[in-house]
Amino acid sequence: MSRAAKQQLNDGPKIRKEKIIASKMIRIYCKRKHHAQELCEECRNLNEYVRTRLSRCKFGDEKTACAKCPIHCYTPVYRQKIKSVMRFSGPWMLLYHPLESLKHIPIPEKIKKSISR
Ligand SMILES: [Zn+2]
């Protein structure tokens, strides 16, 4: 077994919370875009990928928002996918989880202003 495989996986409160948020966003996306009851295969795959990246994030609970992170640990394909999910689900997250959204999701300034007013 390589050393990387033995590396301990993150399980701090922040990482756990981000996993939950990511899963929620992927679920919203899949439900409305793919009309799937449960996650479709593609979204299940993306969900797994995101959770794995978070588990292995080298910053652990010290991490900043992924969008601001200097290390792009996602492959371009997954990066593109998660971006689409965030763009799509962002507005819905504002309805369901406004505070979390403000911290984690790149929300257009226009919308941000209208909320903070
Ligand atoms: Zn889907």
Side-chain angles (χ1 to χ4, degrees):
M1 203 186 249
S2 72
R3 197 180 292 170
K6 273 192 215 154
Q7 182 204 353
Q8 216 185 343
L9 298 177
N10 297 318
D11 195 28
K14 191 168 181 183
I15 293 283
R16 275 205 298 256
K17 201 166 172 199
E18 293 215 5
K19 282 182 184 172
I20 292 168
I21 294 170
S23 295
K24 276 181 185 158
M25 293 185 81
I26 293 169
R27 200 166 304 144
I28 292 169
Y29 180 84
C30 190
K31 201 167 180 183
R32 293 180 189 270
K33 273 263 189 186
H34 304 149
H35 308 289
Q37 275 303 33
E38 298 294 317
L39 288 185
C40 70
E41 201 179 325
E42 188 190 347
C43 293
R44 209 157 48 216
N45 183 271
L46 177 63
N47 188 43
E48 271 311 301
Y49 182 84
V50 171
R51 297 174 78 93
T52 306
R53 298 304 345 141
L54 279 168
S55 292
R56 295 181 187 282
C57 174
K58 66 177 278 188
F59 298 107
D61 256 38
E62 307 288 298
K63 81 183 282 297
T64 162
C66 290
K68 291 180 194 151
C69 186
I71 298 174
H72 297 303
C73 70
Y74 286 35
T75 66
V77 173
Y78 280 105
R79 197 170 151 75
Q80 215 35 59
K81 280 187 186 178
I82 196 67
K83 265 189 172 173
S84 312
V85 168
M86 290 198 160
R87 249 198 312 268
F88 182 86
S89 300
W92 294 103
M93 288 298 283
L94 282 177
L95 283 177
Y96 301 143
H97 313 280
L99 290 176
E100 288 163 4
S101 307
L102 286 176
K103 267 183 273 171
H104 293 287
I105 301 160
I107 297 163
E109 281 304 316
K110 216 167 47 184
I111 298 178
K112 256 189 205 169
K113 274 181 202 146
S114 69
I115 302 167
S116 58
R117 222 176 268 151

